[in-house]
Each structure stands twice: as C-alpha cells, then as structure tokens.
Amino acid sequence: MTNIRPRNIFFNVDRVSLYLFLALCIIGWINIYAAVYDPENANAFNLGTNYGKQFIFIISACMLGTLILLLDVKLFSTLSPLFYGISLLLLVAVLVVGRNVGGNQAWIPIGSFRLQPSEFAKFSTCLLLAQYISTTNFKTKSWFSVGLAGLIIVLPVALIMLQPDTGSALTFLSLIFVLYREGLSGYFLVIGAVAIVLFLLTLLLSKVLLIALLVLVAGILLYQLRRKKQWISPIILGTICSIFYIFSVDFTYKNILQPHQRTRIDVLLGKVEDLRGQGYNVNQSKIAIGSGRIFGKGFLQGTQTKYDFVPEQSTDFIFCTVGEEWGFVGSLVVVGLYLFLLMRIIFIAERQRSSFSRIYGYGVASILFVHFFINIGMTIGLVPVIGIPLPFVSYGGSSLWGFTLLLFILLRLDANRMGII
Amino acid sequence: MNPFFARKYVIQGIFITAAIFIIIRLFYLQVINDEYLLSANNNVLRKIIIYPARGIILDRENRILVQNEPVYDLMVIPREVKPFDTLEFCNLLGITKERFDKQFKKAKNHSIYRASVLEKQLSAKVFAGFQEKLYLFPGFYVQNRSVRYYPDSIAAQFLGYIGEVNERMIEKSNGFYAKGDYIGISGIERSYEDLLRGQRGVQNLMVDAFSRPKGHFADGKYDTLAVSGEGLQSSLDRDLQKLGEELMAHKIGSIVAIEPASGEILAFVSSPTYNPNLMVGRQRGNNYMKLLNNPYKPMFIRPIQAEYPPGSIFKIVNALVAQQFGSITPSTTYTCGGGYRYGNRVMGCTHVHGPTDLTQSIQYSCNTYYGHIFNRMIDHSGMRSIDGYKRWQAAVAKFGIGSKLNIDLPNERKGLLPSADYYTKRWGSDKWGSSFNISLSIGQGELGITPLQMANTMAIVANRGFYYKPHLIKAIGSKKVIRREFTKKIEVGIAQQYFGSVIEGMSRVVNQPGGTAYYSKIPGIEMCGKTGTVQNPHGADHSVFVAFAPRENPKIAIAVVVENAGFGATWSAPIASLMVEKYLRDSISRPAVYKERITQASLLPAIKQKLNPKTPVKKDSAKTANKTVSRP
C-alpha cells in the first residue's frame, strides 16, 4: 500500500463539489442577510444577527471540512460504529438534558450554542450503513441482512421521533435509495410509491369508494391475466394488504397524527383553507415566491420576507427569499445547483473502487436529495410543511456542520479513491 | 462492474423528476399565476389618502364666508382594544352603551386589524375632555379632519353645502371619488367643486406582518402631496347680504343685487333661509330632513328657481323695445280713459290717467299706454301680426328673459317667454294678433321671470343697453383669475338714446312726490325704480320692486320679490331702498323704525295653505287688470 503524499490538502479533492458547496453557502448567507435585513442597523458581520452568526458558521464549516480532508481515510470506515454509537448516545441525551424549543426537544445547549444531535446522526448512520453493507456478509436476498440494515436506519429514526421531530426522522427513510442501489428489490420502491398514492387517495376520497375502486381494478387485472396463474395470488394479496393499509392510514391520520400535522396535510390537499392558522406559512411562502415573478424584486427589495410575513424565514423558509428577490431565474439557479451537486455525488460514488465509499456516496446523495425536495417542495406547496433545513443554505450551525461532515467525508474518501481502504 | 450499476439511472431519474416537478411548480407560481404579486402588495402596501383642505370662500372685501374647522373622528382598531370602563367611555363621548355596542360591532365586522371610525366628527369640546383619558383606552385614537364652518351663518343657498359621496356619484366620477369623500352638493360648493376640492395626496406605506409602518414604498417615488383647494373670492358683500337676510326674515321671497358694471352679484337672498352650519357635523342628517320637510321650503333657491309673471316692471322692457322698433317715440302720447279697449273688451287701468307720454306711463304705471304700444308693435309693424310677435319676442329674449343666464350655480331655471308657435297651436291658427295676448304688454299672462332675471334687466337699464353675465365668483385662487365668460359685454340691441325717458320715469317713481315708491326715496341718492304687483291665484299677491342707483354711473341694480305681500311699494320697495343705501353709503340714514317695521313683520302665509313658490302662469289673463298701485 503506497500512500501518495499530497502536495497540499486539496490534492485530488473534487473541485466541482467544492465550488458547489461554497456557492450554496454564499447564496445561503446572502439570502439570510436579506431576510433579516434592517436598513437602520445594517452591519454585515454583526454577531448579534443571524447573518453574522451564519458567517461564523460558514467559516467554521470550512475549517471543519479542511480538518476532515486532513484525516486519515481509514478512520471513517473503522470508526463508523463509534460515530454511530456516539450519535445514538447524543440522541438519548437530548431527550434528557435537551432544551425544548417549539415543541421539539431537539437541542442540547452548549454554552451559547445549541447542538442538534439529529444533524450529526445523519452522517454517522450513512457511515455505519456503508460499513455494514460493504462487508461481504450482507445479502440483499436475505431478510436478516436487510432487516439489520433497516435496524441501523430505524434506531436513530425512533429516537428522533421521541423528541418528537417527525421531519428529521423522515429524512432517514430516504436511505432506501442506498439499499435499492445495492440490490434491494425494486418492488420496495414501487410499494413505497403505491403507499404514498394510496395515502393521499385515502385522505381525498371516501374509504368505501376507494376500496370499491381497488377491488374493481384488481378484478379487471385478474380477468386480463386469468391465463397467468402466477399473478393471481400476488394480486389478491396486494389488494387485501392495500385495504388494510387504507384502514391503518385512516386510523393513523385520525388518531395518531397531531392536529397540526393533520391540518398541514389537509391544507396541502386543499381540503381546508386555513390562511390564519396552519395554512398561513405556506400561503405567505407562496405569496413571497410567486410575487418574485421572473427576475425577482432585487437584492434587499423583498417585502414579504423582510417584513416578517413569512415565518422561519432564515431557516426552513429561506427559499422564499430566493424566490422573492431573485425570481424564477434565481430559483432555477438554486434548483440547478442542487441537481448538479446530486448528479456530481452520484458520479463520484460510481467512480469509487471500494463499495464502502460508493454506498456512503449514495447515502449522502439520498440525504441531500430528501432535504432539497421536501424543503423547497414545502415552500411552494408541493409537500406538507415539514420542518427540515435546506442543506448549506438555511441558517443554523448544527445543520451546516452536519451537511459539511456528510459531504466532506465523501470528498475525503473520493480523494483517496485510488487507494485501498 | 457492480451488477446493479444500471440502478444508478433509476435513482438519477427520480432525482431529476423531482427537480422537474419543483421547476414546473415554480414556473406556475412565478410566471403564470400573477395573483401572488397582488397578494404580496395587499400584504405590504397601505395606501394612505391625505385629504386636502377644501378651498375657502371669501366675500368681495376678503371677509370669510366659509372656512374649515378641525373636527375629530374617533377611530378604533378592534384587535388592539383591551378591556376598559365602557361606562366612563360612553359618558365622555356622550353616547349610550347601545350606540357604542352597535358601532363597535360594526367596526369589528369591517376588520379587526384595520382602523374604523367609531364616532364621527367629535366637537372640539368633547375631544378635549376625551383626549385626557385616551390612554385608558388602548386601541382607540383620534384622527383630525376638517369640516366647513360659516362664521356669519349667512348665504346658505348661495354657498350650498357638501356631503359624503354616494354610490352613484362614485360611479359617475370614474373612480375619482371614494367612499367617505366629500363633494359639493349644491350652490358654489357644487358648481366650483373641481376647484374647491383640491387634490388628494397618497402615501404608499409599507407595513410589516404586524401592520407596523416600515417606510415609504420605493422611497416615496409614488407618493403625492395633498394640494389644497383653490380659494374663491365671491362677489357677495357680506354686510349687504346680512342686511338682506335680516330684512327678509319671516318672509318668503328673494333679493338679488348686481353691480351693473361687472355683473357681480352683491347680494343673493333666498328666504326663508337656514343656518348653513346645520348642514355640517353629526346632526346633519336630522337637520337636512327637517329643512326638507319645512313647508316654506328653505332648500328652494328662489332667486334662480322661482318664476313669477313680472307684472308692471315688465313695462320697462316694452317701453325700450317699442322705441327701438320705432313704434313710438318718447313724446308719443295716448289718452288713458281708465283702460285699453280691444275688440269689445277692456284691459282695465287703475286710474284714469288722461293724456300720458312715455315717461309718465312709467311713472304712473299706466296699463292703457302699454296696451296701445303693444298693439303697435305686434299689429302695426308693417308685417303679419305673427311676425311682429316673433320680432318682439326676439327683442325681449335678448334681455335674458325666457332662457338661463347661466349663472355659476346649479339648477337655474330659465323662466318662460312663449314663442309664436305656442299661440298658433293654442288658437289653432296663425291669424292671431295683439288682442290675443295683450296681457304680455303689462307683464302678466304667459310670462315667467326669475328674480335674477329681474335684477339683470335692471343692470341692463342701468348700463343703458348691455350687461355682463351675472356671476357669484369674481376671482379664483391666489392669482385672482376671473373666468373669461364673465368679462364679455353682452349687448341687448337697444340703442342708448332710448333709455333716457324710461329712466326719467323710473326716477320719478321714487323721487317725485306722488310716485308709486316715493316712500322709499333715499335722501341724497337718486334711485330709479319700478314697483310691481304679481297676481297670485293661490293667495295674496306678490310684491315686486326693481331699481338701480345712483341714476348716473349706477353702482347697484336690485330686484326684490316678497311673496304674498301685496303692493310692491309696501314691502319690496323699502327693502330695496335700504339695501341700496347700505351698499352705497354703508349706513342707513333713515330712522331705525323704518327698518324695524320691515324686520319685525311676518308675512308668512298660513301653513295649511299649500305653498307653491312657482306661481303658475295664468292661462288667459287678458281680462285681468294690473293692480300696480299709484298710492305712495
């Protein structure tokens, strides 16, 4: 094993990803500045303000990234159980010593900062998952293997659900893409998609009608495929499962979901118009983005965000400022940058010689994708309001550091892709 | 090569599809649907209207007739209201608890976030008491506005009043006016509305989510300042107007006084009048209904809306027209045997005047004389009678009779001067002559003349043949602009030389012992006038007097009509003489009792009698005699 001594620490580091990372951080900072801009008190580096703090976060994130690039590459695979264990401990700790903010016990106060353990659980879960799957005894045909991989994902999800921070927990489910890439049956994706569609239909249509429709479709299918005996039992089984699923969705929706979650879904589906309550955020967010028109109102000219019509404007709803001040063109640029980054990460993952690095790369892509899609989707009314940040752009130290760790570990692995781990 | 390598494409496909969904949705929100821009502006923009001060109106000596006085609207923002002592609140405002509940509910229904008016136009006194305790009532505040104030409470019908615009006006104005705006409803307030109202200012404020102002939109680029309305200088003489209203108290009728050299209206009295301050403030609605239901109709603008057959004063016009036609000369003499005989009928005269020339015919108001000259003008003009009438009618119309003078007030009536066709239709043939409408010779019959037209006729005589359009506003704004149409001399087609003997007769009416208005002679001032008595089929006759003074270089022409007051000499002439003296001398030389007799007299008809200020023109008055008296 020959270690190539790097001429500098950025030797062999993927420059494209690096630039995309920096671009998103800067876009984030500019828009946080605009969102909380106060003309009477404009000081770009005032540490009392969100943009001043975010500036510190970005600098420290860059330092964190550099540190990771300096670390020995073997560290990540060998220490992945340790990282995972620490994350789980922190997730347990937050339930005990955490501070409750807005109904979620998600932060551990450390001095003047607050640490959000769920952000760090993301990279450690990806690492352990990669470590587990890349070991040869993982077999996608084996229920035990798949179950164990699922357990790695579900453990942090369960702990986060206890906070309860449903949004963060949901993002872990995106790791199904990783399993799929590594050989999990495509049916899982199909079943997942069907589950989402049935979920929505259950809420939109009456149960009786939906079940009748389902039985009708199943009947037609059975008739069409009556010569192919092997289809009969899956169709009947699927239909029965679906009917159970419909009832359980209905039950969950009515009895398990919090009232505000229920309303958020209803608002999204257009079943209720609650512009003063749960629908207020989305409505104001759509107004801000929609009023940006093609070219936007210009830097610092946005009124909806600046004058507090949009809540959580520098964290979860930061995309409103992008849409309002930079218009469709600016939104397109941001969406384009994310898509570019996601494609780049998949490209990086696929060029790895070690399956650990590849699996980890898909984990990074999945986590970033789900944040990107749900966050922007909720600001424009595509998905229900789920409070998760927009990676690298939203205000917040924990999330920026969490995503930086996630990405830079991949870059470190990639820089060493010719070596053997 | 990893066996599941191809799955990369599926995952990429899912990522790309999701991004495309986002882009399509963004395209819809930001490019296609423009509702959101409107909503954003609704969120953040607050248009604040700055109301300009309405123009003030001065009299001819720059004394204030109308000004603006501050009042206070009590506003409420329901969301910001905290529990408070309602009883004390109501006591301070002088309203009942029920009233408060009703108004507060109305405000809440309007909007709990935005300000509504809780009580309109608090007086300065109520405001002063309330302001000290305002801190006890969060959510309430007071907004300044101004209302019209009339320091002397005069000239109500002349000045008119303003009121809130209604839906129809808003529609008609193409959105210029908005709910809550005030507009001139009558009088000068209405005819000069577009000058008086000024220009509203707009501030485009931006507010945050909590409705706190955050500065001006686009740095105030779209803001405008309010521009105050133009001030108007009216031609009215405040003191003369005051005296006129005093003299006309408890009487029905009009006084119109005109400066002949300019057409400026010096006094414009419509009686009964009302206090213009009643049409302002919180009691306006009640007061308005009271005035509207008053049987003496104070809202009726008599100087320009009441039409009367002029009676004997019309002889002046006939004397002038007949001379211009060459039908008579000043020395033409007719012998009055007590009436004018036409066919087998007689138009009676009050006296047997014997041989009468033109000057005497005016002096004694001889009906016989005018029967003869009317007959000469119509039947002996060298053309068919109908054409003779047409010529006569055209000559009279030039005095502004039978058509609007287009004074700068709304709703002027034109009066009545029948056309030849009217008689042709009425008699079923065009072969009619002076005997068919002989009463026109003495101002009776189918004639209707407003007091304004009477006064204008006097201005024509005073000027010896021309007039300026009578008007109420002599100068607009600080630059004292006068409307061009008011400076145009209008000739009436009577040569100057024909006025001498008529004016001599009018002078004798007042100044020669035995003249019909000798009682109204003003010592030291030669006033020329003519009395008239208008027959009124509904009750006592109307008393009319027209005059101008002094005889040379006249300064004032005046018409006075007192309804149901009998002879012209009894009431109208003394009123006119006091007005003329007051204007020319600024004081009254005659003993106080002379004035008191008039101011204390009440000549109102009994209420149960149906009042009809517009005396209908009598159908055929050929047989009736003029009752103008020759008693002093």
Side-chain angles (χ1 to χ4, degrees):
Chain A
M1 190 183 94
T2 47
N3 257 334
I4 304 160
R5 292 283 347 140
R7 272 158 293 194
N8 67 52
I9 53 161
F10 292 110
F11 175 75
N12 223 4
V13 168
D14 185 61
R15 298 293 160 99
V16 176
S17 306
L18 215 52
Y19 294 147
L20 286 169
F21 161 77
L22 283 174
L24 288 171
C25 285
I26 291 167
I27 287 173
W29 186 82
I30 287 173
N31 285 293
I32 291 166
Y33 181 77
V36 296
Y37 174 72
D38 178 359
E40 286 145 34
N41 190 14
N43 177 359
F45 304 105
N46 184 342
L47 292 186
T49 59
N50 281 0
Y51 48 85
K53 285 187 200 159
Q54 182 74 359
F55 182 76
I56 302 294
F57 295 151
I58 291 173
I59 297 294
S60 54
C62 290
M63 284 155 56
L64 182 65
T66 311
L67 184 74
I68 289 165
L69 294 180
L70 287 172
L71 291 176
D72 189 300
V73 72
K74 280 179 286 194
L75 219 62
F76 302 111
S77 53
T78 46
L79 292 186
S80 59
L82 181 65
F83 291 140
Y84 186 77
I86 291 172
S87 292
L88 288 187
L89 274 179
L90 283 173
L91 283 174
V92 172
V94 79
L95 294 175
V96 182
V97 299
R99 180 176 299 170
N100 194 320
V101 177
N104 290 351
Q105 190 146 335
W107 286 273
I108 297 175
I110 301 171
S112 63
F113 283 109
R114 291 180 310 194
L115 192 73
Q116 199 176 356
S118 57
E119 295 298 342
F120 299 96
K122 287 167 190 166
F123 92 91
S124 58
T125 306
C126 286
L127 276 180
L128 189 68
L129 193 65
Q131 167 71 7
Y132 173 65
I133 295 175
S134 63
T135 56
T136 44
N137 50 9
F138 176 79
K139 295 192 178 60
T140 51
K141 291 275 188 279
S142 147
W143 286 103
F144 178 77
S145 296
V146 173
L148 211 57
L151 191 67
I152 292 173
I153 300 173
V154 166
L155 263 181
V157 168
L159 286 171
I160 293 169
M161 286 292 268
L162 288 175
Q163 294 179 359
D165 183 359
T166 323
S168 293
L170 276 178
T171 60
F172 286 81
L173 298 184
S174 67
L175 294 174
I176 192 173
F177 288 122
V178 178
L179 299 180
Y180 170 71
R181 171 63 185 82
E182 294 310 314
L184 188 70
S185 165
Y187 287 126
F188 282 94
L189 282 189
V190 175
I191 289 169
V194 168
I196 291 172
V197 170
L198 275 182
F199 179 82
L200 295 178
L201 287 176
T202 309
L203 301 183
L204 281 174
L205 305 174
S206 85
K207 272 184 307 229
V208 180
L209 182 66
L210 188 61
I211 291 168
L213 274 176
L214 212 61
V215 171
L216 187 71
V217 171
I220 291 170
L221 279 176
L222 282 175
Y223 181 76
Q224 291 288 327
L225 303 168
R226 60 190 180 280
R227 307 235 178 272
K228 296 177 181 169
K229 295 275 190 282
Q230 75 271 27
W231 284 102
I232 294 174
S233 52
I235 289 174
I236 292 172
L237 199 68
T239 309
I240 290 168
C241 286
S242 298
I243 290 170
F244 271 109
Y245 176 71
I246 288 167
F247 277 106
S248 67
V249 163
D250 191 58
F251 180 81
T252 310
Y253 176 75
K254 283 184 180 150
N255 301 302
I256 295 181
L257 283 190
Q258 305 279 329
H260 73 270
Q261 292 168 328
R262 207 154 47 221
T263 320
R264 283 177 185 178
I265 293 170
D266 285 347
V267 167
L268 182 78
L269 296 177
K271 281 167 78 179
V272 296
E273 192 166 277
D274 183 16
L275 296 184
R276 294 220 181 279
Q278 290 298 327
Y280 176 82
N281 292 7
V282 181
N283 186 48
Q284 292 299 336
S285 162
K286 284 197 283 187
I287 288 173
I289 294 171
S291 67
R293 313 309 300 155
I294 295 177
F295 297 107
K297 296 176 184 170
F299 181 51
L300 300 184
Q301 301 303 309
T303 51
Q304 306 304 299
T305 45
K306 200 161 59 177
Y307 295 149
D308 303 333
F309 288 97
V310 182
E312 307 294 336
Q313 46 190 316
S314 47
T315 54
D316 295 348
F317 282 91
I318 187 66
F319 190 73
C320 294
T321 310
V322 178
E324 191 185 11
E325 297 198 344
W326 306 99
F328 182 63
V329 173
S331 308
L332 214 56
V333 168
V334 172
V335 172
L337 286 176
Y338 274 110
L339 193 60
F340 192 15
L341 181 64
L342 290 171
M343 293 299 121
R344 187 72 192 173
I345 291 170
I346 290 177
F347 170 77
I348 290 172
E350 290 294 349
R351 76 179 175 193
Q352 302 305 313
R353 284 176 59 187
S354 87
S355 50
F356 172 80
S357 302
R358 182 184 66 240
I359 296 164
Y360 179 74
Y362 270 96
V364 174
S366 304
I367 295 284
L368 289 182
F369 166 74
V370 75
H371 280 87
F372 152 75
F373 180 70
I374 289 182
N375 182 281
I376 295 185
M378 90 181 168
T379 62
I380 56 181
L382 270 184
V383 294
V385 174
I386 294 169
I388 56 173
L390 190 58
F392 311 117
V393 173
S394 281
Y395 166 78
S398 293
S399 77
L400 182 58
W401 290 335
F403 291 119
T404 304
L405 282 169
L406 201 62
L407 181 65
F408 275 77
I409 290 173
L410 178 66
L411 294 184
R412 178 72 195 96
L413 294 172
D414 177 57
N416 199 50
R417 63 182 175 273
M418 293 308 168
I420 295 160
I421 298 171
Chain B
M1 184 60 65
N2 188 294
F4 299 108
F5 176 75
R7 288 191 171 187
K8 165 190 154 181
Y9 300 115
V10 175
I11 293 172
Q12 281 178 335
I14 290 171
F15 288 5
I16 291 170
T17 309
I20 287 173
F21 270 123
I22 286 177
I23 289 168
I24 290 172
R25 179 71 176 168
L26 282 170
F27 188 76
Y28 169 76
L29 288 179
Q30 296 186 300
V31 182
I32 294 175
N33 192 332
D34 52 11
E35 253 171 54
Y36 293 106
L37 188 60
L38 281 178
S39 306
N41 288 342
N42 281 346
N43 264 347
V44 80
L45 284 184
R46 293 281 178 278
K47 217 175 208 169
I48 313 264
I49 306 276
I50 314 289
Y51 290 96
R54 203 172 166 84
I56 60 166
I57 304 176
L58 306 171
D59 89 332
R60 61 190 298 115
E61 305 288 341
N62 292 319
R63 292 169 296 208
I64 290 169
L65 296 175
V66 190
Q67 65 188 39
N68 299 309
E69 198 185 48
V71 287
Y72 308 91
D73 286 351
L74 179 61
M75 313 293 290
V76 61
I77 302 172
R79 191 180 61 159
E80 293 173 10
V81 172
K82 306 223 162 63
F84 62 95
D85 184 349
T86 335
L87 186 67
E88 187 183 8
F89 184 86
C90 292
N91 285 343
L92 281 169
L93 286 182
I95 59 173
T96 61
K97 175 85 168 57
E98 289 73 38
R99 163 92 186 158
F100 170 79
D101 289 342
K102 198 182 122 212
Q103 290 293 98
F104 192 64
K105 203 174 150 205
K106 231 163 85 184
K108 270 202 293 203
N109 287 344
H110 172 236
S111 163
I112 64 161
Y113 296 97
R114 302 213 176 145
S116 309
V117 179
L118 190 85
E119 278 295 320
K120 264 186 201 175
Q121 300 179 3
L122 305 180
S123 70
K125 209 174 128 202
V126 171
F127 168 68
F130 186 74
Q131 197 192 21
E132 290 176 19
K133 301 279 178 75
L134 196 58
Y135 71 94
L136 291 173
F137 311 114
F140 294 91
Y141 69 98
V142 174
Q143 193 171 56
N144 272 13
R145 268 165 29 101
S146 62
V147 294
R148 291 307 232 181
Y149 174 66
Y150 307 84
D152 290 295
S153 306
I154 55 166
Q157 293 93 342
F158 171 96
L159 297 166
Y161 56 90
I162 58 175
E164 255 183 83
V165 289
N166 59 32
E167 291 297 331
R168 206 167 44 84
M169 294 167 181
I170 293 173
E171 222 165 87
K172 245 175 83 182
S173 73
N174 272 331
F176 181 89
Y177 293 100
K179 206 169 175 311
D181 280 356
Y182 280 76
I183 188 173
I185 307 268
S186 75
I188 287 180
E189 297 276 21
R190 171 156 159 203
S191 52
Y192 287 89
E193 164 70 14
D194 42 357
L195 293 170
L196 287 168
R197 68 189 173 197
Q199 230 173 325
R200 276 177 305 194
V202 173
Q203 285 188 355
N204 296 287
L205 283 186
M206 294 195 292
V207 297
D208 69 5
F210 311 101
S211 287
R212 290 177 304 214
K214 285 283 172 181
H216 293 251
F217 177 67
D219 289 329
K221 203 163 89 188
Y222 302 105
D223 293 1
T224 50
L225 286 173
V227 179
S228 300
E230 296 273 21
L232 300 179
Q233 184 177 29
S234 81
S235 56
L236 213 65
D237 183 297
R238 183 193 70 184
D239 295 344
L240 190 64
Q241 177 75 18
K242 239 183 190 167
L243 175 68
E245 292 188 7
E246 203 181 330
L247 293 170
M248 290 299 285
H250 317 298
K251 301 167 192 69
I252 296 177
S254 310
I255 302 176
V256 177
I258 298 177
E259 183 180 68
S262 62
E264 290 169 8
I265 292 178
L266 304 167
F268 187 93
V269 179
S270 179
S271 189
T273 184
Y274 59 91
N275 182 345
N277 288 310
L278 291 177
M279 296 303 284
V280 173
R282 299 175 60 187
Q283 289 305 313
R284 197 199 116 129
N286 291 340
N287 291 335
Y288 179 74
M289 288 319 290
K290 258 187 232 159
L291 289 172
L292 210 60
N293 293 328
N294 185 326
Y296 298 117
K297 300 206 182 309
M299 307 296 273
F300 188 65
I301 307 169
R302 289 182 165 78
I304 56 168
Q305 293 181 330
E307 301 168 3
Y308 307 92
S312 296
I313 62 167
F314 193 65
K315 287 170 182 167
I316 295 165
V317 176
N318 271 332
L320 291 169
V321 171
Q323 287 183 80
Q324 180 68 33
F325 287 173
S327 303
I328 56 164
T329 65
S331 56
T332 302
T333 304
Y334 293 101
T335 303
C336 171
Y340 169 73
R341 202 174 287 278
Y342 58 108
N344 52 5
R345 290 192 281 182
V346 175
M347 177 173 69
C349 191
T350 48
H351 295 79
V352 178
H353 293 111
T356 307
D357 68 8
L358 179 57
T359 302
Q360 288 164 328
S361 75
I362 297 277
Q363 180 183 358
Y364 301 120
S365 198
C366 177
N367 289 352
T368 312
Y369 192 90
Y370 288 89
H372 283 293
I373 70 167
F374 191 68
N375 170 265
R376 282 200 66 80
M377 286 191 285
I378 306 299
D379 298 341
H380 302 281
S381 57
M383 41 184 142
R384 295 168 67 216
S385 292
I386 184 171
D387 295 322
Y389 180 82
K390 280 179 181 164
R391 184 176 65 147
W392 176 82
Q393 192 225 2
V396 173
K398 287 199 130 183
F399 282 75
I401 292 169
S403 58
K404 287 183 187 178
L405 286 166
N406 287 323
I407 187 179
D408 43 354
L409 276 185
N411 302 327
E412 183 191 356
R413 293 184 69 96
K414 64 179 179 148
L416 176 67
L417 175 64
S419 64
D421 290 346
Y422 167 81
Y423 291 107
T424 303
K425 207 179 266 175
R426 176 154 161 200
W427 304 119
S429 151
D430 60 0
K431 297 196 172 37
W432 46 268
S434 67
S435 59
F436 287 77
N437 49 21
I438 194 71
S439 52
L440 296 180
S441 67
I442 56 166
Q444 302 288 356
E446 302 83 356
L447 280 173
I449 299 188
T450 63
L452 176 71
Q453 288 167 330
M454 295 178 192
N456 190 50
T457 302
M458 270 307 98
I460 293 166
V461 177
N463 287 333
R464 276 84 169 163
F466 64 87
Y467 70 97
Y468 294 95
K469 219 181 205 185
H471 55 275
L472 303 166
I473 295 301
K474 58 180 286 182
I476 295 166
S478 48
K479 290 188 196 138
K480 305 266 175 204
V481 179
I482 179 158
R483 282 196 184 171
R484 234 217 184 109
E485 51 178 309
F486 296 150
T487 59
K488 220 172 78 189
K489 194 178 193 177
I490 302 169
E491 300 279 352
V492 297
I494 307 285
Q496 200 183 343
Q497 75 239 39
Y498 300 130
F499 284 87
S501 39
V502 173
I503 290 173
E504 173 58 26
M506 289 172 67
S507 174
R508 288 185 201 171
V509 166
V510 181
N511 300 302
Q512 201 172 77
T516 51
Y518 182 64
Y519 170 72
S520 304
K521 176 177 161 54
I522 309 165
I525 294 174
E526 189 176 359
M527 177 167 77
C528 305
K530 180 78 192 79
T531 55
T533 303
V534 177
Q535 294 187 333
N536 174 13
H538 303 285
D541 291 344
H542 302 324
S543 169
V544 178
F545 186 75
V546 294
F548 66 90
R551 179 170 175 168
E552 298 309 323
N553 197 9
K555 293 279 180 260
I556 179 170
I558 189 167
V560 179
V561 178
V562 184
E563 290 186 15
N564 312 100
F567 301 130
T570 324
W571 299 107
S572 296
I575 290 173
S577 81
L578 288 169
M579 293 287 286
V580 167
E581 188 179 11
K582 169 80 182 167
Y583 181 66
L584 294 178
R585 255 192 204 135
D586 206 24
S587 63
I588 290 165
S589 59
R590 281 160 286 175
V593 65
Y594 186 93
K595 185 178 151 189
E596 279 163 16
R597 180 188 76 96
I598 299 168
T599 53
Q600 285 166 11
S602 174
L603 298 170
L604 295 174
I607 284 182
K608 57 175 174 266
Q609 182 186 343
K610 190 172 176 277
L611 259 140
N612 192 351
K614 182 199 162 194
T615 309
V617 173
K618 242 185 135 195
K619 280 282 153 54
D620 179 14
S621 51
K623 273 180 239 169
T624 57
N626 185 335
K627 286 185 184 167
T628 308
V629 273
S630 33
R631 274 179 306 191

